[in-house]
Every structure is written in structure tokens, then in C-alpha cells.
């Protein structure tokens, strides 16, 4: 069950990251909103990298 939860968390974080990239690439956000999205993207990227690192350790 933990493996499935981790996969769901990874997939959810990756989907959120894709949405953020689309919003940023749209170019309609204010500078403040863009910065907030960028910071959230950094957090999501780190979460995804950590999940991948854990999966790699298991293999």
C-alpha cells in the first residue's frame, strides 16, 4: 500500500508541476504570481526527485 501511495504522490506532484509550467508559459501571470508558481514548482521538483531517489534505492 505504501508503494501505491508513493506512486500516487509522485504522479500527483508531477501533474501539479506540469500545470504550473503551463501557467508560467502562458505568460498571463503577474510577476508576484509567477514567482509563487516558480517557488511551488521548486518544491514539487524536490519532492519528485526525492521519490525517485527512494525508488532507485529500492531497486
Amino acid at each position: 500500500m505504501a508503494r501505491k501511495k508513493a506512486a500516487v504522490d509522485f504522479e500527483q506532484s508531477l501533474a501539479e508541476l506540469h500545470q504550473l509550467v503551463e501557467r508560467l508559459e502562458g505568460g498571463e501571470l503577474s510577476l508576484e504570481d509567477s514567482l509563487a508558481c516558480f517557488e511551488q514548482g521548486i518544491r514539487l521538483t524536490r519532492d519528485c526527485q526525492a521519490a525517485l531517489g527512494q525508488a532507485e534505492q529500492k531497486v
Side-chain angles (χ1 to χ4, degrees):
M1 185 168 147
R3 192 179 319 178
K4 187 172 185 176
K5 183 179 184 331
V8 170
D9 289 343
F10 175 79
E11 290 174 8
Q12 182 179 4
S13 292
L14 192 58
E16 288 179 36
L17 188 56
H18 281 289
Q19 289 175 351
L20 284 174
V21 169
E22 287 177 6
R23 289 182 65 201
L24 286 167
E25 287 179 342
E28 297 185 16
L29 296 174
S30 67
L31 180 59
E32 186 175 307
D33 289 339
S34 294
L35 184 57
C37 284
F38 177 78
E39 290 172 348
Q40 184 179 1
I42 294 296
R43 286 189 296 273
L44 289 168
T45 300
R46 288 181 180 154
D47 290 346
C48 288
Q49 287 175 333
L52 289 174
Q54 290 174 354
E56 189 176 82
Q57 291 296 321
K58 290 179 183 179
V59 174

